[in-house]
Amino acid sequence: MSFNRAAIKDKKRIVIKIGSSSLTHEITNSLNLSKMEKLIRILTDLRNQGKDVILVSSGAIAVGRETLGLKEKPRDKTVKQACAAVGQARLMMVYQKLFAEYNQVPAQILMTKYTMINDISRKNARNTFEELLNMGVIPIVNENDTVSTDELEFGDNDTLSALVAALVNADMLILLSDIDGLYTDDPRKNKDAAFIDYVEVIDDKLSEMGKDSSTSVGTGGMATKISAARIATDSGADMIIANGEDVYIINEIMEGKNVGTLFKAHKDEHFVLLDYIRTKQYP
């Protein structure tokens, strides 16, 4: 089932998530500067059209790992946090330089699950986003990996981006992934997997479908993307999963072209953000 996407070009507040695999070169794990430069030009141009833009960016641990000369992907939490501490500063430095080329001001916002769970922190975060967007700034968001604990981490930036979209009342969430969108099965393993370009309702069958597929790069498989779609669509935002191999796909999405998988918003009048962030510590 397809859907007319013409209304997408009128979306006003857009959250875009890009993963580590889309920001780095596969062989070296070094930053793909050419792709980042294109991404920043696209985001600045959306801002120049009068749209509010928020970027949720992975990559801190990958950049830190490369900077520190670690060959293997870190498994130990303290090593990951050390990589994040080094990498986050470097990543922001690159973003700052590239945005400056287009006279655009970015900002850094690091969040933990506690930011969302605590009423005062959540309100402060929302107010900060609003003020930055009013000033024409593009916030760059990441999980604060340096201080997050297992109990209080989002686990992936798919979830974080959906929660940010809900927090700021965004009307569009774009998840740039390493696959084209949602399939009936993992297309890497099953050549008969059919592409799904439009999802009206996220039912149990769809949720089950996502559990079987995952990607080895980054931390978010398809299950996390469907979970993110549930948060975004319940909060009132349309969501699109698309392939971030070519970041110009953002322009195609915003022009209403039929790319990626569109999850249609169906705002839940009883939507409460806290219902989507449960932990043992904060039930």
Side-chain angles (χ1 to χ4, degrees), residues 101 108 244:
E101 291 288 319
Q108 175 177 253

Side-chain angles (χ1 to χ4, degrees), residues 95-234:
Y95 275 126
Q96 289 270 21
K97 280 191 169 184
L98 292 174
F99 271 117
E101 291 288 319
Y102 299 98
N103 204 26
Q104 173 62 49
V105 179
Q108 175 177 253
I109 296 184
L110 296 176
M111 302 177 77
T112 64
K113 206 178 253 189
Y114 186 78
T115 314
M116 292 293 198
I117 290 166
N118 181 278
D119 291 344
I120 296 170
S121 298
R122 188 172 66 255
K123 185 180 177 186
N124 286 342
R126 181 186 286 121
N127 291 344
T128 301
F129 274 115
E130 288 294 343
E131 197 58 46
L132 288 169
L133 294 171
N134 287 341
M135 291 174 169
V137 172
I138 295 180
I140 300 173
V141 186
N142 193 11
E143 179 162 4
N144 194 347
D145 296 304
T146 309
V147 299
S148 287
T149 63
D150 287 329
E151 176 64 11
L152 282 174
E153 64 184 14
F154 295 105
D156 64 274
N157 274 347
D158 295 331
T159 304
L160 176 59
S161 61
L163 292 170
V164 168
L167 182 72
V168 303
N169 294 317
D171 49 13
M172 187 77 209
L173 171 61
I174 299 171
L175 296 188
L176 294 180
S177 178
D178 54 356
I179 60 169
D180 295 336
L182 183 65
Y183 287 82
T184 52
D185 195 5
D186 189 338
R188 297 175 179 118
K189 297 173 184 171
N190 180 0
K191 62 178 174 41
D192 295 324
F195 183 71
I196 301 169
D197 75 330
Y198 177 66
V199 175
E200 180 88 41
V201 179
I202 302 167
D203 53 20
D204 292 340
K205 183 183 172 190
L206 196 71
S207 298
E208 283 300 314
M209 200 186 295
K211 283 176 186 163
D212 298 328
S213 58
S214 61
T215 168
S216 60
V217 188
T219 53
M222 194 50 70
T224 67
K225 289 170 176 54
I226 291 173
S227 173
R230 196 183 294 276
I231 298 169
T233 55
D234 283 357

Side-chain angles (χ1 to χ4, degrees), residues 1-2 4 18 22 35-36 39 47 52 58 63 90 97 100 110-111 166-167 179 185 200 208 216 220 228 232 255 265:
M1 177 171 53
S2 197
N4 186 353
I18 189 159
S22 299
K35 188 186 274 192
M36 285 184 75
L39 173 68
R47 178 65 225 138
D52 293 336
S58 302
V63 171
R90 277 211 164 200
K97 280 191 169 184
L110 296 176
M111 302 177 77
L167 182 72
I179 60 169
D185 195 5
E200 180 88 41
E208 283 300 314
S216 60
E255 287 163 8

Side-chain angles (χ1 to χ4, degrees), residues 54-99:
I54 296 171
L55 177 67
V56 177
S57 172
S58 302
I61 293 175
V63 171
R65 170 188 156 195
E66 197 232 349
T67 306
L68 295 168
L70 301 178
K71 298 282 184 264
E72 298 294 317
K73 190 173 180 179
R75 290 186 176 84
D76 187 66
K77 187 159 197 67
T78 54
V79 178
K80 283 183 185 176
Q81 290 177 319
C83 288
V86 172
Q88 189 63 41
R90 277 211 164 200
L91 187 61
M92 275 309 297
M93 183 180 72
V94 175
Y95 275 126
Q96 289 270 21
K97 280 191 169 184
L98 292 174
F99 271 117

